[in-house]
Amino acid sequence: TFMETESINYYLVGGMGLWYPMSSSSTAIASDSITSFIIGEFGAGIELKMGKFSVPLEVSYYYFPAGEDVTTNVISVKTGILF
């Protein structure tokens, strides 16, 4: 069966990113509110190895700084095939 001949790897994900605006002009929001900010990413995943192929499955949570009247949270689920 799959479990007897192949393997499963577990991993943790973490990182930070700097988001920088390409432009400070906008017609939808106040121009003075367009700034750069730092986000954080935390998550975990598994990688199922099947012969020459691998199938990763990852769940991540992205932290965005809160604004004056809004908060943003993102949970991302990613999968694919590696060969």
Side-chain angles (χ1 to χ4, degrees), residues 39 60 64 70:
I39 65 164
S60 296
F64 291 83
V70 68

Side-chain angles (χ1 to χ4, degrees), residues 54-82:
S54 294
V55 178
L57 176 63
E58 177 180 309
V59 178
S60 296
Y61 170 79
Y62 293 88
Y63 168 77
F64 291 83
E68 291 179 15
D69 57 350
V70 68
T71 60
T72 304
N73 296 301
V74 175
I75 296 175
S76 169
V77 178
K78 303 173 208 167
T79 189
I81 296 178
L82 304 171

Side-chain angles (χ1 to χ4, degrees), residues 17 24 28 30 37 40-41 44 49 51-52 54 57 62 73-74 80 83:
S24 62
F37 58 91
E41 176 189 5
K49 294 192 178 265
K52 294 192 289 187
S54 294
L57 176 63
Y62 293 88
N73 296 301
V74 175
F83 53 92

Side-chain angles (χ1 to χ4, degrees), residues 19-27 29-36:
W19 287 30
Y20 189 79
M22 297 295 291
S23 171
S24 62
S25 64
S26 173
T27 58
I29 59 176
S31 296
D32 60 347
S33 70
I34 301 174
T35 61
S36 61

Side-chain angles (χ1 to χ4, degrees), residues 1-2 7 10-11 13 18-19 32 48 52 54 56 64 68 80:
T1 64
F2 170 76
S7 65
Y10 302 93
Y11 58 92
V13 177
L18 174 64
W19 287 30
D32 60 347
L48 307 171
K52 294 192 289 187
S54 294
F64 291 83
E68 291 179 15

